[in-house]
Amino acid sequence: MSELLESLEDGVLTLTINRPHAHNTLNQSLSAALSDALVRAQDNADVRCIVLTGAGGVFSAGGDVNDQASGNIGGDETDPEAAQAAMVKTIRDGMEMSRLLREVPKPTLAVISGAAAGAGLARAIQKS
């Protein structure tokens, strides 16, 4: 199952966060997929507008703390320097996704149904 669904119809690119089992929390792979989709969208002349939404009646409950707590951030918990480097990369990846949402030169809308908290709410209001 893909964590990010993409649909382009009549110039509207809909990006759907698809982790309803985890209240659409943002993990490292989803953040990377969203950043990649935004980079492709800004250069695609067929995309006139971007809609960001969430599956399963929830927009996004924020960052995936379970993913972070379990060490799934790409670091080696036995090597503090590697773990710190992995955390810095995760934070920078999130910042890049935020920058892309803010600076993409196309109208971007968030369709919010249900919860939007933490990092999820921040993504929803990037263009405000």
Side-chain angles (χ1 to χ4, degrees):
M1 172 174 73
S2 178
E3 294 182 328
L4 183 67
L5 304 177
E6 299 181 42
S7 169
L8 179 60
E9 187 174 326
D10 296 327
V12 178
L13 174 63
T14 301
L15 301 174
T16 303
I17 301 169
N18 189 35
R19 298 187 72 223
H21 62 282
H23 304 290
N24 294 328
T25 53
L26 302 166
N27 62 15
Q28 193 171 29
S29 61
L30 175 58
S31 294
L34 185 53
S35 292
D36 290 344
L38 291 167
V39 167
R40 287 192 314 276
Q42 69 185 2
D43 297 329
N44 185 341
D46 293 334
V47 175
R48 296 189 326 259
C49 175
I50 301 167
V51 173
L52 182 61
T53 191
V58 175
F59 181 75
S60 176
D64 188 339
V65 294
N66 291 326
D67 196 51
Q68 296 167 6
S70 68
N72 290 335
I73 56 170
D76 178 357
E77 62 203 32
T78 62
D79 181 352
E81 288 182 22
Q84 182 180 14
M87 182 58 81
V88 168
K89 181 182 181 335
T90 298
I91 292 168
R92 286 187 175 149
D93 289 348
M95 290 169 54
E96 177 64 6
M97 180 182 32
S98 293
R99 185 192 68 76
L100 287 165
L101 278 168
R102 216 175 29 256
E103 295 178 2
V104 66
K106 299 183 183 195
T108 305
L109 308 168
V111 175
I112 302 172
S113 59
L121 180 60
R123 299 309 176 261
I125 61 172
Q126 287 300 314
K127 294 288 255 197
S128 298

